[in-house]
Amino acid sequence: MTLDQLRIFVAVAEHGHMTKAAELLGISQSAASAAIRALESQHGVRLFNRVGRNIELAQTGHRFLPEAKAVLERAAAAHNVLEHVSQTVTGSLSISASQTIASYWLPRRLASFHEAYPAVRLSVTIGNTRQVETNVLDGRADFGLVEGRTESDILRRATVDEDRMMLVVAHSHPEIPTTPAGNLDIRASRWIIREGGSGTREALEDFARSEGVPPAELQIFLVLPSNEAVRQAVEAGAGAAIISELVVARSLAEGSLRSVPVDLPKRGFAMITHRDRQASLAQMALKAHLSGKADASSTGKG
C-alpha cells in the first residue's frame, strides 16, 4: 500500500468518478484504475462497486475511507515537520476560489508567487462561496478565497483585498424608476442574478434588504451560473445586475454597459483556512503573498 494509492482512492471516493479524480490528480484514467485494482488485489477486497459507467463505494470502501484520509493527513504533517526543519518551501497547494476571485483577482498573484517559489505546485478549483467553504472544511483545499460570508466557526478568515460592487444595465436600458422617496424602485426592475450560495447574489440580496425590500419580492428574470453569463445577459438588455467592477470594467469602458449611481458597500475578498490543520511553509508563504505581507527578498530556495 502506497501513499499514491491512498491519494487516488480518496480522490475517486470523494468524486465518485475515476476520470474526474484522475484529472484533478494530474494522472491518466488508466493509471488511476490500475492503482485501485492493485490496492484491491493486494488485500483481497473490493473497495468500489462498478454500476454501469459509474462507481460507488462498497461497504469495505466506506470503512476504509476515514482511515485512508487519516494516513494522508499524518503524512502531510510529517512532510511539514521536515519542511520546517529544512526551511525549504516546496510541495503542493490546493486552492478553492469563488468565481470573481479565481477569474479576475487571483491569476496574476499566483503567477508572481510561482516566480518567487518555483518548487511549489499550485492547483485551483472554482466554485461559489458555499462550495469553497465545504472544500476547505473537508480538506479538499488547503486554502479558500471567497467574497461571500462563511458559516463555519472552525474556519479562520482573513481579508486580503476589497472589491467594489456596481449596479449595471445595458447602455440602451431605460432609466430605473424611483420611488416617491427618491430611491431606486428596485421592485420595478428585472434582475439577472447568480445561483444561491454565491457572494455576488448575496450582495444583491443585502442591497435589497438595505432598501427595505425582501429579496423574494424582486423580479428575478434569470438565474445564471457564472459572472460572464450574467454580464452577457445584461449587455443583451435582459435586465439589471449587481456585480463586481472587476467583471464589468471592460464593458463599461467600451460602452456596452453603464453603471447606475447607487451607494453600495465594498465587500472583502477573504482567505479561509481550517483552524485545526497545521500550515506548511508553502501555505504560510502563499498566505503572506496574497495578503501583501511577503518579504520582497524571499525566494523559494530556503
Side-chain angles (χ1 to χ4, degrees), residues 7 14 55 70-71 86 95 98 111 114 136 170 174 204 221 236 250 262-263 278 282 292 299:
R7 289 189 187 96
E14 289 181 338
I55 60 174
V71 171
S86 68
I95 304 161
S98 53
H114 178 68
V136 175
L204 171 61
F221 179 63
R250 178 173 296 180
V262 63
D263 186 19
Q278 181 182 6
T299 70

mmCIF file with all atom_site columns, all heavy atoms in Angstrom, residues 7 14 55 70-71 86 95 98 111 114 136 170 174 204 221 236 250 262-263 278 282 292 299:
data_model
loop_
_atom_site.group_PDB
_atom_site.id
_atom_site.type_symbol
_atom_site.label_atom_id
_atom_site.label_alt_id
_atom_site.label_comp_id
_atom_site.label_asym_id
_atom_site.label_entity_id
_atom_site.label_seq_id
_atom_site.pdbx_PDB_ins_code
_atom_site.Cartn_x
_atom_site.Cartn_y
_atom_site.Cartn_z
_atom_site.occupancy
_atom_site.B_iso_or_equiv
_atom_site.pdbx_formal_charge
_atom_site.auth_seq_id
_atom_site.auth_comp_id
_atom_site.auth_asym_id
_atom_site.auth_atom_id
_atom_site.pdbx_PDB_model_num
ATOM 1   N N   . ARG A 1 7   ? -3.996  8.308  -2.070  1.00 0.00 ? 7   ARG A N   1
ATOM 2   C CA  . ARG A 1 7   ? -4.473  9.581  -2.634  1.00 0.00 ? 7   ARG A CA  1
ATOM 3   C C   . ARG A 1 7   ? -5.474  9.321  -3.756  1.00 0.00 ? 7   ARG A C   1
ATOM 4   O O   . ARG A 1 7   ? -6.505  9.994  -3.858  1.00 0.00 ? 7   ARG A O   1
ATOM 5   C CB  . ARG A 1 7   ? -3.284  10.392 -3.151  1.00 0.00 ? 7   ARG A CB  1
ATOM 6   C CG  . ARG A 1 7   ? -2.386  10.959 -2.068  1.00 0.00 ? 7   ARG A CG  1
ATOM 7   C CD  . ARG A 1 7   ? -1.372  11.926 -2.646  1.00 0.00 ? 7   ARG A CD  1
ATOM 8   N NE  . ARG A 1 7   ? -0.422  12.340 -1.623  1.00 0.00 ? 7   ARG A NE  1
ATOM 9   C CZ  . ARG A 1 7   ? 0.775   11.773 -1.438  1.00 0.00 ? 7   ARG A CZ  1
ATOM 10  N NH1 . ARG A 1 7   ? 1.168   10.811 -2.265  1.00 0.00 ? 7   ARG A NH1 1
ATOM 11  N NH2 . ARG A 1 7   ? 1.576   12.194 -0.487  1.00 0.00 ? 7   ARG A NH2 1
ATOM 12  N N   . GLU A 1 14  ? -14.235 10.461 -3.180  1.00 0.00 ? 14  GLU A N   1
ATOM 13  C CA  . GLU A 1 14  ? -14.880 11.756 -2.949  1.00 0.00 ? 14  GLU A CA  1
ATOM 14  C C   . GLU A 1 14  ? -15.624 12.259 -4.173  1.00 0.00 ? 14  GLU A C   1
ATOM 15  O O   . GLU A 1 14  ? -16.638 12.947 -4.056  1.00 0.00 ? 14  GLU A O   1
ATOM 16  C CB  . GLU A 1 14  ? -13.848 12.790 -2.506  1.00 0.00 ? 14  GLU A CB  1
ATOM 17  C CG  . GLU A 1 14  ? -13.330 12.538 -1.094  1.00 0.00 ? 14  GLU A CG  1
ATOM 18  C CD  . GLU A 1 14  ? -12.330 13.578 -0.638  1.00 0.00 ? 14  GLU A CD  1
ATOM 19  O OE1 . GLU A 1 14  ? -11.733 14.237 -1.515  1.00 0.00 ? 14  GLU A OE1 1
ATOM 20  O OE2 . GLU A 1 14  ? -12.161 13.729 0.588   1.00 0.00 ? 14  GLU A OE2 1
ATOM 21  N N   . ILE A 1 55  ? -19.220 4.438  -10.574 1.00 0.00 ? 55  ILE A N   1
ATOM 22  C CA  . ILE A 1 55  ? -18.672 3.647  -9.481  1.00 0.00 ? 55  ILE A CA  1
ATOM 23  C C   . ILE A 1 55  ? -19.163 4.227  -8.168  1.00 0.00 ? 55  ILE A C   1
ATOM 24  O O   . ILE A 1 55  ? -19.436 5.429  -8.053  1.00 0.00 ? 55  ILE A O   1
ATOM 25  C CB  . ILE A 1 55  ? -17.126 3.628  -9.506  1.00 0.00 ? 55  ILE A CB  1
ATOM 26  C CG1 . ILE A 1 55  ? -16.561 5.041  -9.387  1.00 0.00 ? 55  ILE A CG1 1
ATOM 27  C CG2 . ILE A 1 55  ? -16.605 2.942  -10.751 1.00 0.00 ? 55  ILE A CG2 1
ATOM 28  C CD1 . ILE A 1 55  ? -15.053 5.062  -9.250  1.00 0.00 ? 55  ILE A CD1 1
ATOM 29  N N   . ALA A 1 70  ? -6.903  9.658  7.224   1.00 0.00 ? 70  ALA A N   1
ATOM 30  C CA  . ALA A 1 70  ? -6.082  9.891  8.411   1.00 0.00 ? 70  ALA A CA  1
ATOM 31  C C   . ALA A 1 70  ? -4.608  9.660  8.100   1.00 0.00 ? 70  ALA A C   1
ATOM 32  O O   . ALA A 1 70  ? -3.735  10.413 8.556   1.00 0.00 ? 70  ALA A O   1
ATOM 33  C CB  . ALA A 1 70  ? -6.537  8.978  9.549   1.00 0.00 ? 70  ALA A CB  1
ATOM 34  N N   . VAL A 1 71  ? -4.304  8.610  7.318   1.00 0.00 ? 71  VAL A N   1
ATOM 35  C CA  . VAL A 1 71  ? -2.910  8.331  6.950   1.00 0.00 ? 71  VAL A CA  1
ATOM 36  C C   . VAL A 1 71  ? -2.348  9.480  6.120   1.00 0.00 ? 71  VAL A C   1
ATOM 37  O O   . VAL A 1 71  ? -1.216  9.929  6.339   1.00 0.00 ? 71  VAL A O   1
ATOM 38  C CB  . VAL A 1 71  ? -2.815  7.000  6.169   1.00 0.00 ? 71  VAL A CB  1
ATOM 39  C CG1 . VAL A 1 71  ? -1.417  6.821  5.587   1.00 0.00 ? 71  VAL A CG1 1
ATOM 40  C CG2 . VAL A 1 71  ? -3.153  5.828  7.083   1.00 0.00 ? 71  VAL A CG2 1
ATOM 41  N N   . SER A 1 86  ? 14.052  22.068 7.330   1.00 0.00 ? 86  SER A N   1
ATOM 42  C CA  . SER A 1 86  ? 14.946  22.464 6.242   1.00 0.00 ? 86  SER A CA  1
ATOM 43  C C   . SER A 1 86  ? 14.749  23.903 5.798   1.00 0.00 ? 86  SER A C   1
ATOM 44  O O   . SER A 1 86  ? 15.610  24.478 5.132   1.00 0.00 ? 86  SER A O   1
ATOM 45  C CB  . SER A 1 86  ? 14.721  21.545 5.038   1.00 0.00 ? 86  SER A CB  1
ATOM 46  O OG  . SER A 1 86  ? 13.438  21.759 4.468   1.00 0.00 ? 86  SER A OG  1
ATOM 47  N N   . ILE A 1 95  ? -6.004  25.211 -3.933  1.00 0.00 ? 95  ILE A N   1
ATOM 48  C CA  . ILE A 1 95  ? -6.757  26.437 -3.643  1.00 0.00 ? 95  ILE A CA  1
ATOM 49  C C   . ILE A 1 95  ? -8.152  26.298 -4.237  1.00 0.00 ? 95  ILE A C   1
ATOM 50  O O   . ILE A 1 95  ? -8.307  25.892 -5.391  1.00 0.00 ? 95  ILE A O   1
ATOM 51  C CB  . ILE A 1 95  ? -6.067  27.657 -4.264  1.00 0.00 ? 95  ILE A CB  1
ATOM 52  C CG1 . ILE A 1 95  ? -4.624  27.766 -3.770  1.00 0.00 ? 95  ILE A CG1 1
ATOM 53  C CG2 . ILE A 1 95  ? -6.825  28.945 -3.961  1.00 0.00 ? 95  ILE A CG2 1
ATOM 54  C CD1 . ILE A 1 95  ? -3.739  28.621 -4.641  1.00 0.00 ? 95  ILE A CD1 1
ATOM 55  N N   . SER A 1 98  ? -13.767 31.336 -5.251  1.00 0.00 ? 98  SER A N   1
ATOM 56  C CA  . SER A 1 98  ? -15.032 31.700 -5.885  1.00 0.00 ? 98  SER A CA  1
ATOM 57  C C   . SER A 1 98  ? -14.752 32.388 -7.216  1.00 0.00 ? 98  SER A C   1
ATOM 58  O O   . SER A 1 98  ? -13.646 32.838 -7.498  1.00 0.00 ? 98  SER A O   1
ATOM 59  C CB  . SER A 1 98  ? -15.873 32.583 -4.958  1.00 0.00 ? 98  SER A CB  1
ATOM 60  O OG  . SER A 1 98  ? -15.137 33.686 -4.511  1.00 0.00 ? 98  SER A OG  1
ATOM 61  N N   . ALA A 1 111 ? 0.835   33.855 -10.464 1.00 0.00 ? 111 ALA A N   1
ATOM 62  C CA  . ALA A 1 111 ? 1.985   33.895 -11.365 1.00 0.00 ? 111 ALA A CA  1
ATOM 63  C C   . ALA A 1 111 ? 3.208   34.482 -10.660 1.00 0.00 ? 111 ALA A C   1
ATOM 64  O O   . ALA A 1 111 ? 4.329   33.964 -10.777 1.00 0.00 ? 111 ALA A O   1
ATOM 65  C CB  . ALA A 1 111 ? 1.646   34.707 -12.618 1.00 0.00 ? 111 ALA A CB  1
ATOM 66  N N   . HIS A 1 114 ? 4.555   32.018 -8.126  1.00 0.00 ? 114 HIS A N   1
ATOM 67  C CA  . HIS A 1 114 ? 5.329   30.941 -8.748  1.00 0.00 ? 114 HIS A CA  1
ATOM 68  C C   . HIS A 1 114 ? 6.752   31.399 -9.081  1.00 0.00 ? 114 HIS A C   1
ATOM 69  O O   . HIS A 1 114 ? 7.701   30.619 -8.969  1.00 0.00 ? 114 HIS A O   1
ATOM 70  C CB  . HIS A 1 114 ? 4.629   30.474 -10.027 1.00 0.00 ? 114 HIS A CB  1
ATOM 71  C CG  . HIS A 1 114 ? 5.387   29.402 -10.750 1.00 0.00 ? 114 HIS A CG  1
ATOM 72  N ND1 . HIS A 1 114 ? 5.552   28.124 -10.255 1.00 0.00 ? 114 HIS A ND1 1
ATOM 73  C CD2 . HIS A 1 114 ? 6.053   29.428 -11.930 1.00 0.00 ? 114 HIS A CD2 1
ATOM 74  C CE1 . HIS A 1 114 ? 6.275   27.409 -11.097 1.00 0.00 ? 114 HIS A CE1 1
ATOM 75  N NE2 . HIS A 1 114 ? 6.586   28.181 -12.122 1.00 0.00 ? 114 HIS A NE2 1
ATOM 76  N N   . VAL A 1 136 ? -12.779 23.508 1.899   1.00 0.00 ? 136 VAL A N   1
ATOM 77  C CA  . VAL A 1 136 ? -11.787 23.735 2.952   1.00 0.00 ? 136 VAL A CA  1
ATOM 78  C C   . VAL A 1 136 ? -12.120 22.903 4.184   1.00 0.00 ? 136 VAL A C   1
ATOM 79  O O   . VAL A 1 136 ? -11.235 22.292 4.792   1.00 0.00 ? 136 VAL A O   1
ATOM 80  C CB  . VAL A 1 136 ? -11.711 25.235 3.311   1.00 0.00 ? 136 VAL A CB  1
ATOM 81  C CG1 . VAL A 1 136 ? -10.761 25.461 4.490   1.00 0.00 ? 136 VAL A CG1 1
ATOM 82  C CG2 . VAL A 1 136 ? -11.238 26.043 2.106   1.00 0.00 ? 136 VAL A CG2 1
ATOM 83  N N   . ALA A 1 170 ? -27.623 47.511 -19.479 1.00 0.00 ? 170 ALA A N   1
ATOM 84  C CA  . ALA A 1 170 ? -27.159 47.740 -20.846 1.00 0.00 ? 170 ALA A CA  1
ATOM 85  C C   . ALA A 1 170 ? -27.185 49.226 -21.160 1.00 0.00 ? 170 ALA A C   1
ATOM 86  O O   . ALA A 1 170 ? -27.974 49.996 -20.581 1.00 0.00 ? 170 ALA A O   1
ATOM 87  C CB  . ALA A 1 170 ? -28.036 46.973 -21.830 1.00 0.00 ? 170 ALA A CB  1
ATOM 88  N N   . PRO A 1 174 ? -33.604 51.421 -20.297 1.00 0.00 ? 174 PRO A N   1
ATOM 89  C CA  . PRO A 1 174 ? -34.265 52.636 -19.780 1.00 0.00 ? 174 PRO A CA  1
ATOM 90  C C   . PRO A 1 174 ? -33.852 52.931 -18.341 1.00 0.00 ? 174 PRO A C   1
ATOM 91  O O   . PRO A 1 174 ? -33.378 52.044 -17.623 1.00 0.00 ? 174 PRO A O   1
ATOM 92  C CB  . PRO A 1 174 ? -35.755 52.281 -19.867 1.00 0.00 ? 174 PRO A CB  1
ATOM 93  C CG  . PRO A 1 174 ? -35.809 50.793 -19.912 1.00 0.00 ? 174 PRO A CG  1
ATOM 94  C CD  . PRO A 1 174 ? -34.560 50.357 -20.622 1.00 0.00 ? 174 PRO A CD  1
ATOM 95  N N   . LEU A 1 204 ? -26.562 41.405 -3.911  1.00 0.00 ? 204 LEU A N   1
ATOM 96  C CA  . LEU A 1 204 ? -27.858 41.926 -4.332  1.00 0.00 ? 204 LEU A CA  1
ATOM 97  C C   . LEU A 1 204 ? -28.892 41.779 -3.221  1.00 0.00 ? 204 LEU A C   1
ATOM 98  O O   . LEU A 1 204 ? -29.665 42.712 -2.938  1.00 0.00 ? 204 LEU A O   1
ATOM 99  C CB  . LEU A 1 204 ? -28.345 41.205 -5.591  1.00 0.00 ? 204 LEU A CB  1
ATOM 100 C CG  . LEU A 1 204 ? -29.790 41.511 -6.004  1.00 0.00 ? 204 LEU A CG  1
ATOM 101 C CD1 . LEU A 1 204 ? -29.984 42.994 -6.312  1.00 0.00 ? 204 LEU A CD1 1
ATOM 102 C CD2 . LEU A 1 204 ? -30.200 40.650 -7.200  1.00 0.00 ? 204 LEU A CD2 1
ATOM 103 N N   . PHE A 1 221 ? -35.416 37.614 -13.299 1.00 0.00 ? 221 PHE A N   1
ATOM 104 C CA  . PHE A 1 221 ? -35.667 37.192 -14.673 1.00 0.00 ? 221 PHE A CA  1
ATOM 105 C C   . PHE A 1 221 ? -34.818 35.994 -15.071 1.00 0.00 ? 221 PHE A C   1
ATOM 106 O O   . PHE A 1 221 ? -35.282 35.071 -15.728 1.00 0.00 ? 221 PHE A O   1
ATOM 107 C CB  . PHE A 1 221 ? -35.403 38.361 -15.631 1.00 0.00 ? 221 PHE A CB  1
ATOM 108 C CG  . PHE A 1 221 ? -35.608 38.023 -17.076 1.00 0.00 ? 221 PHE A CG  1
ATOM 109 C CD1 . PHE A 1 221 ? -36.859 37.644 -17.553 1.00 0.00 ? 221 PHE A CD1 1
ATOM 110 C CD2 . PHE A 1 221 ? -34.541 38.054 -17.972 1.00 0.00 ? 221 PHE A CD2 1
ATOM 111 C CE1 . PHE A 1 221 ? -37.046 37.326 -18.887 1.00 0.00 ? 221 PHE A CE1 1
ATOM 112 C CE2 . PHE A 1 221 ? -34.724 37.739 -19.306 1.00 0.00 ? 221 PHE A CE2 1
ATOM 113 C CZ  . PHE A 1 221 ? -35.989 37.372 -19.769 1.00 0.00 ? 221 PHE A CZ  1
ATOM 114 N N   . ALA A 1 236 ? -27.108 42.216 -23.206 1.00 0.00 ? 236 ALA A N   1
ATOM 115 C CA  . ALA A 1 236 ? -28.152 41.948 -24.191 1.00 0.00 ? 236 ALA A CA  1
ATOM 116 C C   . ALA A 1 236 ? -29.469 42.634 -23.854 1.00 0.00 ? 236 ALA A C   1
ATOM 117 O O   . ALA A 1 236 ? -30.436 42.544 -24.618 1.00 0.00 ? 236 ALA A O   1
ATOM 118 C CB  . ALA A 1 236 ? -28.376 40.450 -24.317 1.00 0.00 ? 236 ALA A CB  1
ATOM 119 N N   . ARG A 1 250 ? -14.262 46.329 -18.403 1.00 0.00 ? 250 ARG A N   1
ATOM 120 C CA  . ARG A 1 250 ? -14.032 46.496 -19.841 1.00 0.00 ? 250 ARG A CA  1
ATOM 121 C C   . ARG A 1 250 ? -15.325 46.867 -20.562 1.00 0.00 ? 250 ARG A C   1
ATOM 122 O O   . ARG A 1 250 ? -15.320 47.727 -21.455 1.00 0.00 ? 250 ARG A O   1
ATOM 123 C CB  . ARG A 1 250 ? -13.460 45.208 -20.436 1.00 0.00 ? 250 ARG A CB  1
ATOM 124 C CG  . ARG A 1 250 ? -13.236 45.283 -21.938 1.00 0.00 ? 250 ARG A CG  1
ATOM 125 C CD  . ARG A 1 250 ? -12.519 44.071 -22.478 1.00 0.00 ? 250 ARG A CD  1
ATOM 126 N NE  . ARG A 1 250 ? -11.173 43.959 -21.940 1.00 0.00 ? 250 ARG A NE  1
ATOM 127 C CZ  . ARG A 1 250 ? -10.328 42.979 -22.255 1.00 0.00 ? 250 ARG A CZ  1
ATOM 128 N NH1 . ARG A 1 250 ? -10.701 42.020 -23.088 1.00 0.00 ? 250 ARG A NH1 1
ATOM 129 N NH2 . ARG A 1 250 ? -9.106  42.955 -21.741 1.00 0.00 ? 250 ARG A NH2 1
ATOM 130 N N   . VAL A 1 262 ? -25.454 54.320 -7.303  1.00 0.00 ? 262 VAL A N   1
ATOM 131 C CA  . VAL A 1 262 ? -26.105 53.819 -6.093  1.00 0.00 ? 262 VAL A CA  1
ATOM 132 C C   . VAL A 1 262 ? -24.997 53.538 -5.080  1.00 0.00 ? 262 VAL A C   1
ATOM 133 O O   . VAL A 1 262 ? -23.889 53.153 -5.439  1.00 0.00 ? 262 VAL A O   1
ATOM 134 C CB  . VAL A 1 262 ? -26.932 52.538 -6.390  1.00 0.00 ? 262 VAL A CB  1
ATOM 135 C CG1 . VAL A 1 262 ? -26.033 51.404 -6.862  1.00 0.00 ? 262 VAL A CG1 1
ATOM 136 C CG2 . VAL A 1 262 ? -27.751 52.111 -5.188  1.00 0.00 ? 262 VAL A CG2 1
ATOM 137 N N   . ASP A 1 263 ? -25.305 53.759 -3.822  1.00 0.00 ? 263 ASP A N   1
ATOM 138 C CA  . ASP A 1 263 ? -24.313 53.594 -2.759  1.00 0.00 ? 263 ASP A CA  1
ATOM 139 C C   . ASP A 1 263 ? -24.277 52.131 -2.328  1.00 0.00 ? 263 ASP A C   1
ATOM 140 O O   . ASP A 1 263 ? -25.156 51.669 -1.603  1.00 0.00 ? 263 ASP A O   1
ATOM 141 C CB  . ASP A 1 263 ? -24.666 54.494 -1.577  1.00 0.00 ? 263 ASP A CB  1
ATOM 142 C CG  . ASP A 1 263 ? -23.589 54.472 -0.500  1.00 0.00 ? 263 ASP A CG  1
ATOM 143 O OD1 . ASP A 1 263 ? -22.456 54.069 -0.824  1.00 0.00 ? 263 ASP A OD1 1
ATOM 144 O OD2 . ASP A 1 263 ? -23.884 54.847 0.648   1.00 0.00 ? 263 ASP A OD2 1
ATOM 145 N N   . GLN A 1 278 ? -2.433  22.222 10.644  1.00 0.00 ? 278 GLN A N   1
ATOM 146 C CA  . GLN A 1 278 ? -1.171  22.949 10.716  1.00 0.00 ? 278 GLN A CA  1
ATOM 147 C C   . GLN A 1 278 ? -0.767  23.417 9.326   1.00 0.00 ? 278 GLN A C   1
ATOM 148 O O   . GLN A 1 278 ? -0.819  22.664 8.353   1.00 0.00 ? 278 GLN A O   1
ATOM 149 C CB  . GLN A 1 278 ? -0.077  22.060 11.289  1.00 0.00 ? 278 GLN A CB  1
ATOM 150 C CG  . GLN A 1 278 ? 1.275   22.766 11.420  1.00 0.00 ? 278 GLN A CG  1
ATOM 151 C CD  . GLN A 1 278 ? 2.351   21.839 11.938  1.00 0.00 ? 278 GLN A CD  1
ATOM 152 O OE1 . GLN A 1 278 ? 2.128   20.647 12.106  1.00 0.00 ? 278 GLN A OE1 1
ATOM 153 N NE2 . GLN A 1 278 ? 3.535   22.385 12.175  1.00 0.00 ? 278 GLN A NE2 1
ATOM 154 N N   . ALA A 1 282 ? 4.883   26.337 2.727   1.00 0.00 ? 282 ALA A N   1
ATOM 155 C CA  . ALA A 1 282 ? 4.320   26.798 1.454   1.00 0.00 ? 282 ALA A CA  1
ATOM 156 C C   . ALA A 1 282 ? 2.998   27.518 1.673   1.00 0.00 ? 282 ALA A C   1
ATOM 157 O O   . ALA A 1 282 ? 2.728   28.556 1.054   1.00 0.00 ? 282 ALA A O   1
ATOM 158 C CB  . ALA A 1 282 ? 4.136   25.620 0.504   1.00 0.00 ? 282 ALA A CB  1
ATOM 159 N N   . GLY A 1 292 ? -0.232  40.508 0.783   1.00 0.00 ? 292 GLY A N   1
ATOM 160 C CA  . GLY A 1 292 ? 0.657   41.629 0.549   1.00 0.00 ? 292 GLY A CA  1
ATOM 161 C C   . GLY A 1 292 ? 1.679   41.809 1.634   1.00 0.00 ? 292 GLY A C   1
ATOM 162 O O   . GLY A 1 292 ? 2.244   42.894 1.797   1.00 0.00 ? 292 GLY A O   1
ATOM 163 N N   . THR A 1 299 ? 12.798  34.040 -1.409  1.00 0.00 ? 299 THR A N   1
ATOM 164 C CA  . THR A 1 299 ? 12.908  33.177 -2.569  1.00 0.00 ? 299 THR A CA  1
ATOM 165 C C   . THR A 1 299 ? 12.461  31.783 -2.152  1.00 0.00 ? 299 THR A C   1
ATOM 166 O O   . THR A 1 299 ? 12.240  31.514 -0.987  1.00 0.00 ? 299 THR A O   1
ATOM 167 C CB  . THR A 1 299 ? 14.366  33.092 -3.077  1.00 0.00 ? 299 THR A CB  1
ATOM 168 O OG1 . THR A 1 299 ? 15.150  32.362 -2.141  1.00 0.00 ? 299 THR A OG1 1
ATOM 169 C CG2 . THR A 1 299 ? 14.957  34.459 -3.304  1.00 0.00 ? 299 THR A CG2 1
#
